[in-house]
Amino acid sequence: MRRIIRHKAFGQGDMTSFAETSIQYLKGVGPARMKVFERLGVSTIEDLLYFFPRRYEDRRKLTPILDLKPGEWQTVVGVVTAKGGRRTFFNKKHVFELVLADDHAKVYCVWFNQPYLENYFHPGDRVVLYGRVDVFKDRIQIVSPEYEVLGEGDEGLSTARIVPIYPLTRGITQRYLRRVVHACLEAYAGALPDVIPEDVRARQKLEPVSESIRQIHFPEDQASRDKAERRIGFDEFFLFQVSVILRRISLVQKLGTAHFMPPAFFERFEKAFPFRLTGAQKKSMAEVSKDMSMKRPMLRLLQGDVGSGKTVVSFFGCLAAVTNGKQAAIMAPTEILAQQHYETFVRYFEDGPFGEVRTALLKSGLKKKEKEALCAKIREGVVDVVIGTHALLEEGVEFKALSFVTIDEQHKFGVKQRAVLSAKGEGPDILVMTATPIPRTLCLTLYGDLDVSVIDEKPAGRGTVKTYHFTGEQADGVYKRVAEWVAKGTQAYVVYPVIEESEHEDRKAAVAMYERFCKDDFKNFKVGLVHGKLPRAEALRVMAEFKRGKLDILVTTTILEVGIDVPNANVMVIEHAERFGLSQLHQLRGRIGRSEKNAVCILLGDAQTEDGRRRLEAVVKTGNGFKIAEEDLLIRGPGQYFGRHQHGLNELRVVNPLTQIDVLEAARKEAMLLVKSDPLLKTHRVVRDTICKRYPEYLERVLAG
Ligand code: ADP
Ligand code: MG
């Protein structure tokens, strides 16, 4: 927990005081609001200054209602003249309608499943709405627009300008947030310290930081905002890069094992598989073997779309270690995946072309005795390859001679876990595998501490995956088609975002739908259900049944994302697709199309926003994971893309690194210059203190002393 000073003493231009002064001293923020702010991750002045808008609305252009054009996203202002709520006859959905009028015309607004809006709006309220205009039964309407009731006195912040739109949480409105942020800027922005060394600032022609923070929140115009974004982006990238570079230097200074691989090694390895390795797999293996043959530890990121065959490359590294008399470990993010890797490895190598390879599966469900026995074996070196989950990270797990480590699905683990695992060997070679594609330009910079291999080729002989989008209303028809396909022998997944109908009543939960499917749509088939709250053993059992073909249809929540490999499953329905991230959809889709047969992925859902619509379109249009990743990053920004708190990148507060590649590169160049001239940051105390605080996991040992 962070300690927050609760008095108002405030040192001029000192970042520490910004980071330690509670926001409760701002006008309008009392103890109750503090709690709400905490949900947004904001408790200090610094947090709030860097709590950036999600997007902006140009309300300098308000469209008169009479001029609204169907199909376009527009902003209107008007007065509420009527409102009302009801439930639909068929499915009892709640519908709330509002009539908004200006001097010449009126527009209808409709929201579904938000009954609380009935009490939110009042006739006579002046309201700003932003949304996509359409025509329904001859009337002009906007479905689920963004809304804001205008009050007296804050017109200046909320209308007739470029208006910031912040991420919200319950109990806070845009209008309120704008007022508080504005007050905070007035009081503190002027005293913001500048952490970037002066020579760097001059060379890069950076704007002053105080002004940039102001412009990020309340931009005068597009150009000022761009400049401000560049400045803030530079700061963030620069500090992050310095950390990454320092970390890399400290890692490669260690001495590990120089593995020896005779020429026959490759041939023997290839022959173990019933298929031919792809060119991309061979290329990655060559890169891995070159790294592994050197004494300095390998630090390599292996990127490849789901199903591209990354596991083979990992096995290659394991066998290199084992034939050199050392041990190897593979850490997977879920038990199901660990189990799968284990089974695959045993199938090909336990008693294969490399003689006996003693392999063990380490999972958290083991009984105490079993676990102790296994740990003893690992410690004594009686086990060569250990495959497991994060259970591998536990203290009791010690190796005799660990020289190769694979971390599968990197974005589920943090830099810290990487460090813990590698500390169990002596400078072991590390292969980090991820199916979350990262655009090349970004990758070079963001994973500056890793070298990169890419598998950009799918194994031959795979069918195609076609993707379609249907709306929620068309669901019944979709289920019918799925039933037809399953009747012909394929297996199918139906995927849901959540497991219970608690949060939103419209969310068709996996459990409820499973019951409906069994009774109705899929009553002629065997249907299974897997979700996150199911006991582990039960989930594994159901998945195993599906894999063995004992079940025809598997209803599941997202745990399957990194889960099973079932070649005969060639149909996937993703419900509420609009609630998933783009890359997540792509990952899910990667679970089908794993055999020579063609596969179909159906996205069911109603996009509520323009972003949402773009997201679904992008997934329908392209099967290229890298393109999708780029689009995803553009739409959502890095925080959401990579998941929270798992990557130094999440700490970056810039709006969007993809649009700022040039800034990224400039920052990286400057960071390298700095580290070269002052490797321990002795004459750059401010930089040093700031990054130690912000990226401790990168620097724990690096700058010690
Ligand atoms: P991912 O990159 O998603 O981890 P996997 O390594 O799990 O992919 O491989 C997916 C499937 O493809 C597995 O069933 C694996 O046996 C198979 N596979 C891997 N490489 C090839 C190849 N060169 N040719 C055919 N099938 C392959
Ligand atoms: Mg994998």
Side-chain angles (χ1 to χ4, degrees), residues 332-350:
T334 65
E335 207 130 298
I336 291 159
L337 208 54
Q339 175 102 30
Q340 196 167 285
H341 285 336
Y342 172 75
E343 282 166 12
T344 314
F345 190 89
V346 166
R347 172 153 28 109
Y348 295 131
F349 295 111
E350 188 167 54

Side-chain angles (χ1 to χ4, degrees), residues 7 13 43 75 91 107 113 338 351 379 388 484 554 695:
H7 61 79
S43 24
T75 308
N91 50 11
V107 60
N113 295 319
D351 199 9
R379 197 179 321 118
E484 286 166 25
L554 188 66
Y695 306 114

Side-chain angles (χ1 to χ4, degrees), residues 105-124:
K106 62 184 177 180
V107 60
Y108 290 84
C109 310
V110 186
W111 287 268
F112 296 104
N113 295 319
Q114 300 185 40
Y116 55 87
L117 290 179
E118 287 189 43
N119 300 319
Y120 186 84
F121 293 104
H122 305 282

Side-chain angles (χ1 to χ4, degrees), residues 310-311 337 341 408-409 433 591:
K310 295 184 288 296
T311 318
L337 208 54
H341 285 336
D408 195 4
E409 310 291 351
M433 304 201 294
R591 292 291 132 201

Side-chain angles (χ1 to χ4, degrees), residues 275-278 281 306-311 459 462 565 594:
F275 43 74
R276 292 179 53 170
L277 301 185
T278 64
Q281 279 171 323
V306 265
S308 60
K310 295 184 288 296
T311 318
R462 295 255 171 103
D565 186 19
R594 297 202 148 213

